[in-house]
Structure formats: C-alpha cells, structure tokens
C-alpha cells in the first residue's frame, strides 16, 4: 500500500482536537470586525509523485503565486507557511527578501517513522508594502530527503511547498470573526476537531478553508472533510471522496500538484445559535498532517475590557479615587450602555458602577469611581476592576471573549508622615510685635522618620498644601507682627503632612544710652533708650535735676528728651545747664514691675 503524507493548513474559529499524534493545533490569532481571508501559494512538485518512480526530478527550490485583491480590500495580516519532507529548511527567500522561521513545527509519521516539518513567519510588513503582484518563494531546499531512494522517494512522500494566509479588511465586508490555529497534528485514519465557544449570529457566507500538501488527484481512498456529520464537497473541483486532490478553489486550478488550496461554504452546515461545531477529516490510506486551521463566521458581539489608569488616595484615609477606561476593541458590535463594573479589594466587593454611553466598535469610555475601603483591608492589597460584572462574578452582556474583562493593580496605601511637635520660636520685640527669627533648625527637628522628606516652610496652610511660595530665608525671617503661624510640609512615598509652629516676641529689657549732647551733630542729640518705643507702649519717663526737681516727662507719644526743661522753675526755650541728671523709667509691664532708675549726663 502506498503511503501518502498530507500537510494541511486550515482556517477555523475555536479548536480542540482528538488526535493523539503530533503537535497540538491551537489558536494563534483572532480577528473580529469587517475581515475576510484568502490563500495564495504554490507547490515545489512538478507533477504527482504517486505515479512516477523516484523523485529527484520532480522537485524544484522555488515557485510563484499571485495576489490579486481589489482596491477596497486592505491587507491586515499576512502569515507565510512553508513545509516539506525532512527535518526542515528554516531559511528561505520571498521575492529575494531573506525570511527566517519565527516558529517551527515537526511531526514524525506513525507509519513510516519519517520526519516532516513546517515553518512560520509573519510577513505582514512586506506584503503590505508590496501589495498585489507575483510572489516567489525560493531557496526551499529539501534535497537531503531525496538521497535515500528507500525513504521518501520510495514511499512517494517527498513534497515541498509554500502558502500564505492573508487576512484583509474592507468597509463593505460583513462583521466576521476569523480565527487562525496552527500546529502539526497527524491523522492516522481520522481526526475530529471540536470547535467550542462559538456564537453563530448569521450563517451567511460562513466558510472553512484548508491548504493540504501532497494531495493526488489519482488517489481517492475515503479522503473526506465533514462538519457536524455532513461531508463537504465542491464538485467538480473537490469531490466528496477526494478532498485532497491537488486543487486550488481560489484560482480553479487542478494542477496544484501535491498541494490543495480549498475553501468551502459551511452556511448550510451550522445554525444560528450554535455554540459549537465538529469537524472530521478522514483518510483511508494516507497520513494527513494538520498544520493550520481557520473558520469565518458572521459575528456581532462586543468585547469589553478595562484598565485602571490611576488611583488617587486621600492621605491617611481609606478613600481611593479610581480612574479607569473601558474599551470595546477587536469586536463586531457596540457595547451597550449600563454594562456593570465591579471593583474588588483582596477579593471583597468594594465598589460598583456602570458604563454611561454606548461604546462603539474600537471605542472607549473613561470613568471615575470613589471607593471607601472597609475595615480589615490592609494597606497593601490587590485592587481588581471587572467590566460586565454585577458584583457576584456574573455578567449581563454576551461577548466574543469572556476571559479578558478584568484588570488588577497592586495598591499600597501610604500612611500620613508623623512629626515632632515644635515649640514656639521667641525673639525680642522690635516694635509693635515685629521680630526677626532663625528657624532653619526646625527643618530637621520636625522629622521623626529619616526616610521622610522636609519640603519647606510656608506662611499659609494653603501654600503648604500646594507646596508653593516656600519661605526663602528661614535663617533671617522678619515677621512684621506676632504671634505668627509658620507651616511646615513633610512628605513620604505616598502622602504628606502639614504641621506648624508660632513665632512670638517678648519685651526685652531696654538699653539706656545715658549721654546727651544737643549740639546738632546728629550724635546723641537726644536721650535715647533702645528697645523702648513701640515696645513698652505704656512707658512713662521722668527726668530730674540733681536737686530732685522734675524737669521733663515723656511717653510713647512724645519725642525723646533733647535737653529742654518742660517742668519745674526753669521753663524757657533754652537748654538746661550742663551736668548730671537722673531718670525714672516706669515700663508699666507686668514682667518689669519695678521702675528703672539711673543717671544721664547732659552736655551742650
């Protein structure tokens, strides 16, 4: 019995398989929207190898195929697969551009023990740049498999070829879901593929396609492809009992030697509302290798996802403002308004809201939610936000994917920095409670934690809260009136704190300069007492001559004594005589209950 190996590239929606041989075929990529797909490619075989002995002259290392999309069909993605007998050649050229396999697949025939390979490369950028035209794949060398006539050549299992799966979009296309699966799965006699998680909205134009390597028109032994128990066919090109017959249903060619590029309609084989489908491939004589599987089904479903953009904590509280965005991407329908949103902290429901508008295809909506964490949630916890969740893990919107609805973030609630209470700063009253202060040392004294940061001194709490208008001269700061409150801002990694201290003045003892020389030389022209005026505002000053006669009185409202007598026997417009005089100063201050008594010398 002649052994044939078939390498299939299939187009399908969701794939599970029953074969126990080879690599798993699994989902590679999914497209939702106004998309469709097609195949191009060619074989390296020059004729069918089932009817000719040997194989050296039946293979070449390059072949070409043409891409012909119309102007409204825009290439979205292009995936190149090449395959053949042997361990593999993973470096080829496409239109003279070197291509290296990004992923590789292998399978060993259960019947012959011979290996076969397939390789993959994403060539989207090259195909988008080139567009329509002829594509030539070259340098695909499997010559090592042709040396031993008792191996591939004797079994007629030598093959090589290439194909591209091209997904394109267009404004007038229906809303479809296209899934591409790949791997390398063998079929000894039959393989069953269960497609799950389907949501058939409309059966119109539903399709399944495959690319099969090494198919022969002259070999038809129970080679079938069926879906939901019904055998698919496309006669006369693809008879029901000869699915893999070297044909191309896109171009209508029946000379695609040892390779099939076929797409079938399945709109009569599925029903609206179906959530699964079953595909079966059989081969009564040949071993078939499944490499890629894809389906196109009409779909009109949203696909909600959500992310946390930021979270703002009220320092020292359990309140958090969560800013988020809801997306409706890679979908085929709008997301309805009122889609519920739930927020969990360490698995505990802490907040709920909902979308407010209809989110169109590829649209988004921003939102904000203030949550208050309950007692028991630690400062470090996991915050999870879920779209389409009514607060118990259940949703109300049917979506394309149900496993991409949540977003999590690690949250660390910062505690407010602690600080030392600071005493008032005290200095001498320079008049009317004015004072000059140095409080720079408080920038370090206020801190209780070395990891906290002193930010600055401020004249108002508003400035401290906003960290603006910091005091620039804390070593020589003048307060025009006291008491005055000075604010300090300190920060840690998460929060800030504001504290304050007072600037206060006291009435320091006055200094008496007891020499008066009223000669208009601007030096000691009057009896000057430093720290008296506008400090002790209720002071009373009396001056006596040496015989005890009061000659002058003054207070905070009168000028300093300039040597003239305003009391006693001699009251005229001339100075008193030179000599020693005496003063009595009553400060009228509770801190200084006793009068200050002393002498002064007057000289003309």
């Amino acid at each position: 019995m002649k052994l044939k190996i078939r390498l299939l590239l299939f187009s399908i929606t969701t794939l599970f398989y029953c074969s126990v041989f080879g690599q798993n075929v699994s989902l590679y990529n999914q497209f939702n929207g106004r998309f469709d797909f097609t195949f191009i490619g060619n074989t390296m075989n020059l004729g069918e190898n089932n009817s000719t002995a040997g194989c050296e002259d039946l293979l070449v290392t390059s072949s070409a195929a043409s891409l012909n999309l119309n102007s409204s069909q825009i290439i979205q993605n292009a995936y190149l697969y090449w395959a053949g007998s042997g361990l593999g050649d993973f470096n080829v050229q496409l239109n003279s551009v070197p291509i290296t396999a990004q992923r590789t697949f292998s399978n060993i025939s259960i019947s012959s023990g011979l290996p076969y390979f397939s390789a993959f490369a994403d060539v989207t950028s090259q195909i988008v740049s080139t567009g329509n035209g002829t594509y030539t794949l070259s340098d695909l060398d499997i010559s090592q498999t042709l040396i031993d006539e008792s191996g591939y050549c004797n079994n007629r299992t030598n093959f090589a070829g290439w194909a591209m799966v091209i997904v394109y979009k267009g404004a007038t296309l229906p809303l479809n879901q296209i899934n591409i699966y790949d791997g390398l799965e063998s079929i000894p006699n039959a393989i069953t593929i269960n497609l799950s998680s389907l949501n058939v909205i409309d059966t119109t134009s539903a399709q399944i396609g495959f690319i099969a390597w090494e198919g022969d028109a002259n070999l038809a032994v129970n080679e079938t492809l069926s879906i939901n128990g019904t055998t698919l066919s496309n006669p006369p090109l693809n008879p029901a009992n000869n699915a893999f017959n070297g044909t191309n249903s896109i171009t209508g060619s029946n000379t695609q030697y040892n390779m099939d590029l076929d797409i079938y309609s399945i709109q009569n084989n599925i029903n609206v509302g179906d959530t699964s489908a079953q595909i079966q491939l059989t081969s009564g004589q040949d071993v078939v290798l499944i490499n890629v599987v894809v389906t196109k089904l009409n779909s009109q479903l949203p696909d909600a996802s959500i992310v946390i953009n930021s979270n703002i904590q009220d320092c020292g509280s359990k309140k958090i403002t969560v800013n988020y965005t809801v997306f409706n991407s890679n979908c085929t329908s709008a997301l309805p308004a009122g889609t519920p949103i739930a927020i969990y902290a360490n698995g505990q429901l802490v907040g709920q809201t909902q979308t407010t508008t209809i989110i169109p295809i590829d649209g988004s909506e921003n939102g904000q939610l203030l949550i208050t964490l309950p007692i028991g949630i630690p400062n470090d916890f996991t915050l999870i936000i879920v779209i389409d969740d009514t607060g118990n893990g259940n949703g109300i919107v049917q979506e394309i994917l149900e496993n991409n609805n949540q977003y999590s973030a690690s949250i660390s609630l910062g505690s407010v920095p602690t600080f030392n209470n600071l005493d008032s700063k005290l200095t001498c009253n320079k008049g009317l409670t004015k004072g000059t202060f140095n409080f720079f040392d408080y920038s370090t004294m206020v801190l209780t934690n070395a990891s906290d940061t002193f930010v600055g001194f401020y004249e108002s709490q508003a400035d401290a809260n906003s960290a603006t208008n910091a005091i620039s001269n804390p070593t020589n700061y003048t307060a025009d009136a006291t008491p005055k409150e000075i604010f300090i801002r300190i920060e840690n990694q998460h929060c800030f704190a504001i504290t304050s201290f007072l600037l206060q003045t006291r009435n320091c003892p006055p200094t008496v300069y007891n020499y008066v020389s009223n000669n208009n030389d601007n030096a000691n022209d009057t009896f000057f007492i430093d720290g008296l005026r506008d400090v002790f505002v209720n002071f009373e000053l009396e001056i006596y001559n040496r015989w005890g006669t009061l000659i002058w009185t003054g207070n905070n409202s009168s000028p300093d004594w300039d040597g003239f007598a305003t009391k006693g026997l001699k009251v005229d417009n001339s100075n008193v005589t030179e000599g020693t005089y005496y003063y009595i100063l009553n400060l009228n201050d509770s801190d200084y209950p006793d009068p200050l008594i002393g002498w002064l010398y007057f000289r003309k």
Side-chain angles (χ1 to χ4, degrees):
M1 179 180 292
K2 178 175 145 182
L3 175 68
K4 306 297 290 179
I5 305 293
R6 309 291 166 77
L7 184 60
L8 299 184
L9 285 95
F10 245 99
S11 317
I12 295 197
T13 301
T14 305
L15 175 63
F16 294 87
Y17 59 91
C18 300
S19 173
V20 296
F21 305 103
Q23 291 172 286
N24 297 356
V25 177
S26 58
L27 180 65
Y28 174 68
N29 206 351
Q30 182 184 84
F31 301 86
N32 293 282
R34 299 190 184 279
F35 294 105
D36 207 332
F37 76 96
T38 189
F39 301 129
I40 69 167
N42 209 344
T43 180
M44 302 298 189
N45 291 69
L46 298 179
E48 291 191 5
N49 59 14
N50 72 319
S51 59
T52 305
C55 59
E56 293 88 344
D57 298 328
L58 294 178
L59 283 167
V60 293
T61 60
S62 68
S63 64
S66 295
L67 175 63
N68 296 293
L69 297 178
N70 65 45
S71 59
S72 65
Q73 296 171 336
I74 309 301
I75 297 169
Q76 178 73 21
N77 285 79
Y79 300 137
L80 173 66
Y81 293 86
W82 65 96
S85 49
L87 295 175
D89 179 5
F90 303 118
N91 293 280
V92 295
Q93 293 193 51
L94 183 65
N95 285 3
S96 300
V97 176
I99 303 293
T100 299
Q102 296 167 344
R103 295 184 299 138
T104 62
F105 310 95
S106 63
N107 192 285
I108 297 177
S109 169
I110 192 68
S111 300
S112 67
L114 296 174
Y116 301 89
F117 79 95
S118 176
F120 166 92
D122 187 333
V123 292
T124 301
S125 60
Q126 182 181 354
I127 307 307
V128 168
S129 176
T130 303
N132 285 337
T134 300
Y135 289 89
T136 300
L137 187 125
S138 58
D139 289 351
L140 176 51
D141 182 10
I142 62 165
S143 58
Q144 80 281 357
T145 69
L146 310 180
I147 297 174
D148 185 1
E149 286 286 336
S150 64
Y152 298 98
C153 294
N154 187 56
N155 290 329
R156 313 294 199 273
T157 60
N158 52 289
F159 74 90
W162 65 277
M164 267 194 280
V165 180
I166 296 174
V167 178
Y168 59 88
K169 59 186 176 181
T172 60
L173 291 172
L175 294 169
N176 294 320
Q177 182 182 83
I178 296 174
N179 289 354
I180 299 176
Y181 303 77
D182 58 20
L184 200 56
E185 195 68 27
S186 63
I187 308 172
N189 293 294
I191 183 171
T192 299
I193 301 169
N194 293 313
L195 307 179
S196 63
S197 301
L198 300 184
N199 181 57
V200 179
I201 302 297
D202 187 350
T203 62
T204 303
S205 300
Q207 290 180 324
I208 185 170
F210 66 88
I211 305 168
W213 308 104
E214 222 273 300
D216 297 307
N218 295 323
L219 184 63
V221 181
N222 193 29
E223 292 186 351
T224 65
L225 170 66
S226 63
I227 182 168
N228 291 336
T230 301
T231 300
L232 299 177
S233 64
N234 184 23
L237 199 65
N238 299 112
N241 65 343
N242 194 7
F244 319 122
N245 59 351
T247 59
N248 184 331
S249 62
I250 297 99
T251 64
S253 172
N254 60 3
T255 58
Q256 195 94 39
Y257 300 119
N258 306 109
M259 176 180 177
D260 287 85
L261 296 176
D262 292 315
I263 298 176
Y264 292 92
S265 171
I266 56 173
Q267 67 181 31
N268 295 323
N269 305 99
I270 56 175
N271 298 303
V272 173
D274 282 355
T275 59
S276 64
Q278 186 180 81
I279 294 174
Q280 188 174 55
L281 300 100
T282 66
S283 176
Q285 182 174 336
D286 302 333
V287 174
V288 178
L289 298 178
I290 301 295
N291 190 195
V292 180
V293 185
V294 187
T295 54
K296 180 184 76 172
L297 292 174
N298 184 265
S299 170
Q300 295 184 38
L301 287 176
D303 189 33
S305 60
I306 193 167
V307 298
I308 295 174
N309 301 316
S310 65
N311 61 86
I312 304 170
Q313 176 200 352
D314 288 344
C315 284
S317 77
K318 290 286 189 175
K319 293 183 178 180
I320 299 178
T321 300
V322 179
N323 296 294
Y324 62 86
T325 301
V326 177
F327 297 93
N328 187 31
S329 305
N330 194 26
C331 62
T332 53
S333 182
L335 183 71
T339 301
I341 300 171
I343 296 184
Y344 300 86
N346 281 0
Q348 183 176 346
L349 181 67
V350 294
Q352 290 180 277
T353 185
Q354 61 186 20
T355 58
T356 59
T357 62
I358 297 174
I359 303 178
I361 294 173
D362 293 328
S364 63
E365 176 184 292
N366 295 322
Q368 186 180 84
L369 181 63
L370 175 63
I371 62 174
T372 300
L373 299 174
I375 297 173
I377 300 297
N379 282 348
D380 296 327
F381 65 95
T382 299
L383 187 70
I384 297 177
I385 188 168
V386 188
I387 181 68
D388 193 23
D389 184 347
T390 57
N392 55 7
N394 297 320
I396 62 173
V397 179
Q398 187 175 5
E399 303 178 61
I400 290 174
L401 294 176
E402 298 289 353
N403 60 356
N404 63 343
N405 287 12
Q406 74 175 37
Y407 184 93
S408 64
S410 297
I411 305 296
S412 293
L413 291 181
S415 57
V416 176
T418 59
F419 49 81
N420 290 317
N421 293 321
L422 300 172
D423 295 331
S424 298
K425 280 286 186 178
L426 188 63
T427 192
C428 291
N429 182 358
K430 289 189 173 183
L432 302 177
T433 71
K434 182 178 181 178
T436 299
F437 300 85
N438 179 358
F439 43 80
F440 179 77
D441 56 336
Y442 277 6
S443 62
T444 55
M445 293 176 61
V446 71
L447 300 176
T448 62
N449 191 325
S451 63
D452 294 341
T453 302
F454 165 81
V455 179
F457 298 103
Y458 303 89
E459 292 184 323
S460 71
Q461 187 163 0
D463 285 346
N465 286 333
S466 61
T468 57
N469 303 318
I471 293 172
S472 61
N473 57 338
T475 59
N476 188 34
Y477 176 82
T478 298
D480 291 329
T482 58
K484 182 177 181 62
E485 188 174 13
I486 299 297
F487 298 87
I488 296 178
R489 179 187 176 108
I490 58 176
E491 296 177 354
N492 60 22
Q493 183 179 357
H494 304 282
C495 299
F496 69 90
I498 305 297
T499 186
S500 66
F501 61 93
L502 289 178
L503 301 180
Q504 292 183 311
T505 56
R506 67 183 182 90
N507 295 341
C508 296
T511 300
V512 178
Y513 293 89
N514 51 5
Y515 180 77
V516 179
S517 176
N518 189 2
N519 55 8
N520 296 318
D521 62 355
N522 295 320
N524 303 313
D525 286 341
T526 62
F527 180 36
F528 178 66
I529 303 176
D530 190 22
L532 177 64
R533 288 192 175 276
D534 293 334
V535 176
F536 297 92
V537 294
N538 296 314
F539 78 87
E540 295 175 342
L541 178 62
E542 298 174 343
I543 297 177
Y544 295 83
N545 62 19
R546 70 189 67 183
W547 296 282
T549 301
L550 177 65
I551 63 171
W552 184 88
T553 62
N555 55 36
N556 198 56
S557 300
S558 62
D560 294 336
W561 183 59
D562 57 1
F564 287 87
T566 60
K567 302 285 184 181
L569 296 178
K570 187 177 182 178
V571 180
D572 56 24
N573 293 322
S574 61
N575 291 334
V576 296
T577 59
E578 292 186 0
T580 300
Y581 293 82
Y582 299 90
Y583 66 85
I584 298 176
L585 176 59
N586 290 292
L587 298 176
N588 295 319
D589 187 291
S590 60
D591 290 335
Y592 303 91
D594 299 325
L596 302 180
I597 300 174
W599 62 272
L600 65 93
Y601 187 82
F602 175 75
R603 182 178 180 180
K604 292 185 178 180

